[in-house]
């Protein structure tokens, strides 16, 4: 029952997180993690593709003859296998192991009975949501159940996760700062996934980055570029970027900073229509075109609640949206205002989430998790990050227009317009850098004047 309640709380947090209220935690209390179970829930059989690594250790007494027989089967597949998991979440846990050929791998093992319990969990969630609806008619959370029914079976299929990992790796191969662990297909099943072992610190760990001389601002920029490319250009979005799934490290060979993207079970595939409207909306928000903000918010189902929708997307107040979200960073006063207003507008937020396209729900969750990382690193979205988003929007919209015309002249015209718009953004970014350097020079001059060096 505790796990079911945790699952419901986790899904409910999607609605509240979109409004700036953070209920996310990557720590799960799992009663089954204690005792002999921590030695390893999943044990492998020796059949090559049909291993579905045995998950019966939880019912076998620790140290018994049956337990030792099961443990011995692990060594048929691995040279060594760490009993203590590297990490544990609600659906699976990950162990470090070494294959007989010397390769170090990560073994992701689905918890026993999770698949069988999933339908009961969803039924319980549906009952609770209906009960909430009876008690508080203004809250509409049935979309939580619909999303769980759609996404949970995909997350439970680890072969689907492997395919997602390979797809995003190929899709973003031009980013030399991104590392997606390679999948070992010959040793993977629907319930067990073997992948290349890649070590690193969590993306919200400033101390780790400082110890390893990794530039926090560079990591934040890379993360923004990566997700802008996924959302605006490709429409294939990793929707669980919590700190445990996004690691940072220095590449062993080059010494350059890398982002390691893990856990590819939950992706959102955006339709062409949604992606194009979403690009237009963000372009309008970045360049403060309020007429188009209203138009494209309403195209995405916001209706008359488009001001609230714009605030949820940007995590900024309506005043800041009107002034321009790229003009000034979030202040502590504005942050407090957003949190206070979020509680006051929960019925409207609930109504809005029930009417926007289902694709938007995971995008809102993803945006919120990314902002949580930025907040932990102290790198809230800057003018530079908005310009990177705008570049992706320009490229995506130009590609969409070229795809929908047969005229060579029109395609050429679109390409020239795209190049000119990108050049304008580059020029604007250069001006911002020059202004920043001038400001830095002035600050340095002031310091030298206030504290002159001794003769």
């Amino acid at each position: 029952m505790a796990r079911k309640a945790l699952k419901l709380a986790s899904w409910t947090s999607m609605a509240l997180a979109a409004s700036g209220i953070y209920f996310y935690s990557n720590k799960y209390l799992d009663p089954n993690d204690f005792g002999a179970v921590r030695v390893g829930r999943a044990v492998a059989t020796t059949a090559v593709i049909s291993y579905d690594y045995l998950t019966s250790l939880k019912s076998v007494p620790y140290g018994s003859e049956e337990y030792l027989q099961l443990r011995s089967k692990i060594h048929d597949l691995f040279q060594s296998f760490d009993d203590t998991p590297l990490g544990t979440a609600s659906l699976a846990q990950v162990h470090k192991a070494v294959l007989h050929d010397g390769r170090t791998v990560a073994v992701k093992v689905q918890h026993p009975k999770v698949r069988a319990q999933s339908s009961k969990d969803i039924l319980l969630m549906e009952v609770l949501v209906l009960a909430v609806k009876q008690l508080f008619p203004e809250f509409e959370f049935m979309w939580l159940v619909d999303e769980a029914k759609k996404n949970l079976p995909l997350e439970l299929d680890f072969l689907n996760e492997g395919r997602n990992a390979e797809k995003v790796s190929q899709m973003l191969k031009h980013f030399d700062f991104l590392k997606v662990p390679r999948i070992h297909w010959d040793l993977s099943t629907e319930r067990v996934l073997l992948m290349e072992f890649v070590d690193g610190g969590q993306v919200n760990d400033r101390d780790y980055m400082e110890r390893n001389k990794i530039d926090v601002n560079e990591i934040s920029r890379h993360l923004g570029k990566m997700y802008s490319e996924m959302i605006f250009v490709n429409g294939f979005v990793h929707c669980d970027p919590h700190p445990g799934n996004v690691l940072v490290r220095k590449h062993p060979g080059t010494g350059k900073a890398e982002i390691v993207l893990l856990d590819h079970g939950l992706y959102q595939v955006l339709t062409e229509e949604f992606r194009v409207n979403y690009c237009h909306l963000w372009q309008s928000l970045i360049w403060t075109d309020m007429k188009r903000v209203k138009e494209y918010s309403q195209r995405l189902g916001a209706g008359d609640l488009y001001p609230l929708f714009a605030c949820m997307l940007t995590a900024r107040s309506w005043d800041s949206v009107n002034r321009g979200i790229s003009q000034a960073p979030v202040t502590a006063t504005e942050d407090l205002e957003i949190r206070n207003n979020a509680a006051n507008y929960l019925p409207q937020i609930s109504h809005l989430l029930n009417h926007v396209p289902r694709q938007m729900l995971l995008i809102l969750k993803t945006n919120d998790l990314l902002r949580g990382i930025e907040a932990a690193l102290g790198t809230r979205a800057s003018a530079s990050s908005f310009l990177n988003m705008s570049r992706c929007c320009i490229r995506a919209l130009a590609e969409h227009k070229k795809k929908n015309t047969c005229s060579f002249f029109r395609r050429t015209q679109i390409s020239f317009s795209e190049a000119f718009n990108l050049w304008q953004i580059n020029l604007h970014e250069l001006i911002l850098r020059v202004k920043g350097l001038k400001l830095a020079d002035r600050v340095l001059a002031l310091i030298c004047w206030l504290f002159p060096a001794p003769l």
Side-chain angles (χ1 to χ4, degrees):
M1 181 63 71
R3 180 179 291 177
K4 292 171 184 174
L6 279 171
K7 283 180 179 293
L8 178 63
S10 175
W11 276 99
T12 305
S13 72
M14 278 179 56
L16 302 179
S19 63
I21 301 175
Y22 300 91
F23 287 94
Y24 174 77
S25 170
N26 63 342
K27 302 292 183 184
Y28 294 87
L29 177 63
D30 186 347
N32 293 319
D33 288 339
F34 299 100
V37 184
R38 65 185 179 82
V39 178
R41 252 191 210 89
V43 189
T45 68
T46 53
V48 178
I49 288 248
S50 60
Y51 317 106
D52 202 5
Y53 296 45
L54 298 172
T55 54
S56 55
L57 280 185
K58 71 187 287 280
S59 60
V60 178
Y62 181 81
S64 67
E65 183 178 350
E66 185 182 2
Y67 173 87
L68 294 174
Q69 287 175 350
L70 290 173
R71 281 285 298 147
S72 69
K73 291 183 180 181
I74 287 181
H75 297 293
D76 293 335
L77 293 169
F78 303 106
Q79 181 179 311
S80 65
F81 187 96
D82 289 355
D83 293 334
T84 305
L86 295 169
T88 301
S90 56
L91 299 181
Q93 64 188 46
V94 179
H95 293 261
K96 185 178 179 181
V98 179
L99 298 174
H100 288 294
D101 61 10
R103 289 176 294 171
T104 304
V105 293
V107 185
K108 182 174 180 178
V109 186
Q110 196 172 110
H111 293 327
K113 300 183 180 178
V114 164
R115 191 179 292 262
Q117 283 292 117
S118 62
S119 58
K120 297 175 185 175
D121 291 344
I122 292 173
L123 179 61
L124 175 66
M125 183 188 297
E126 190 164 7
V127 170
L128 291 175
V129 167
L130 288 172
V132 169
K133 178 68 176 173
Q134 291 298 315
L135 294 170
F136 308 101
E138 68 272 22
F139 291 104
E140 302 176 39
F141 287 138
M142 190 51 68
W143 56 268
L144 287 169
V145 179
D146 296 337
E147 286 299 293
K149 285 178 178 177
K150 182 185 75 175
N151 292 320
L152 193 54
L154 295 175
E155 291 190 81
L156 290 173
D157 182 358
F158 287 177
L159 294 178
N160 177 65
E161 178 176 342
R163 289 190 291 269
N164 287 342
E166 289 197 340
K167 181 174 179 177
V168 81
S169 179
Q170 179 65 22
M171 190 176 81
L172 302 180
K173 63 182 179 181
H174 55 289
F175 288 147
D176 59 359
F177 59 78
L178 176 63
K179 173 68 178 176
V180 178
R182 189 174 65 257
I183 305 298
H184 295 279
W185 289 109
D186 55 332
L187 297 171
S188 296
T189 73
E190 285 190 354
R191 298 176 64 241
V192 177
L193 189 66
L194 244 77
M195 67 202 95
E196 174 187 7
F197 178 80
V198 183
D199 205 0
Q202 291 194 358
V203 72
N204 64 342
D205 190 344
R206 283 187 69 103
D207 292 339
Y208 173 87
M209 294 191 211
E210 288 169 4
R211 286 196 309 271
N212 290 274
K213 296 181 172 57
I214 295 173
D215 187 340
V216 171
N217 292 301
E218 181 185 18
I219 291 297
S220 186
R221 284 194 302 271
H222 286 340
L223 199 59
K225 284 182 183 177
M226 189 171 79
Y227 268 88
S228 290
E229 193 85 9
M230 279 194 254
I231 293 170
F232 299 116
V233 178
N234 295 288
F236 185 68
V237 189
H238 181 287
C239 286
D240 201 11
H242 72 73
N245 289 340
V246 187
L247 307 182
V248 292
R249 68 167 189 169
K250 279 199 169 180
H251 188 281
T254 64
K256 290 183 178 179
E258 269 191 336
I259 292 175
V260 182
L261 194 59
L262 306 174
D263 197 345
H264 301 270
L266 187 59
Y267 271 75
Q268 181 65 68
V269 180
L270 307 180
T271 64
E272 183 86 353
E273 181 184 9
F274 177 92
R275 186 171 59 84
V276 168
N277 285 331
Y278 196 60
C279 282
H280 279 300
L281 176 55
W282 267 104
Q283 282 285 74
S284 306
L285 287 165
I286 291 168
W287 301 111
T288 325
D289 184 341
M290 301 311 295
K291 183 178 178 181
R292 286 164 67 86
V293 166
K294 178 179 179 180
E295 176 188 347
Y296 287 103
S297 294
Q298 291 182 334
R299 286 195 188 187
L300 289 167
D304 292 337
L305 292 173
Y306 73 90
L308 176 61
F309 184 56
C311 294
M312 288 167 61
L313 276 181
T314 59
R316 302 296 299 269
S317 68
W318 182 237
D319 284 343
S320 292
V321 172
N322 276 281
R323 287 197 306 268
I325 55 175
S326 61
Q327 299 304 309
V330 182
T331 63
T333 304
E334 184 183 357
D335 218 15
L336 182 62
E337 178 191 344
I338 292 168
R339 290 173 183 276
N340 290 338
N341 285 340
N344 296 332
Y345 284 100
L346 276 179
Q348 291 89 340
I349 290 169
S350 167
H351 176 82
L352 188 56
L353 294 175
N354 201 46
H355 287 84
V356 295
R358 290 290 174 258
Q359 300 161 79
M360 182 60 73
L361 301 175
L362 285 177
I363 294 293
L364 287 169
K365 175 195 172 190
T366 303
N367 286 349
D368 189 67
L369 289 172
L370 292 172
R371 286 195 194 102
I373 292 171
E374 288 177 344
L377 297 179
T379 58
R380 291 291 288 267
S382 63
S384 179
S385 63
F386 286 125
L387 291 175
N388 283 325
M389 288 174 67
S390 194
R391 282 189 184 96
C392 286
C393 290
I394 287 168
R395 288 168 45 216
L397 292 172
E399 188 60 34
H400 173 73
K401 289 174 185 174
K402 284 188 276 189
K403 194 189 300 183
N404 287 282
T405 184
C406 298
S407 165
F408 174 77
F409 174 76
R410 177 61 182 144
R411 289 173 66 88
T412 305
Q413 189 181 36
I414 293 167
S415 295
F416 273 117
S417 176
E418 176 188 7
F420 179 72
N421 288 332
L422 291 173
W423 176 82
Q424 281 185 309
I425 288 177
N426 291 338
L427 180 61
H428 185 63
E429 189 169 41
L430 179 62
I431 291 169
L432 288 175
R433 286 181 180 175
V434 169
K435 284 182 178 178
L437 288 172
K438 285 182 179 178
L439 179 61
D441 287 342
R442 288 173 186 170
V443 171
L444 183 60
L446 179 61
I447 291 171
C448 291
W449 180 72
L450 290 172
F451 306 102
L455 295 175

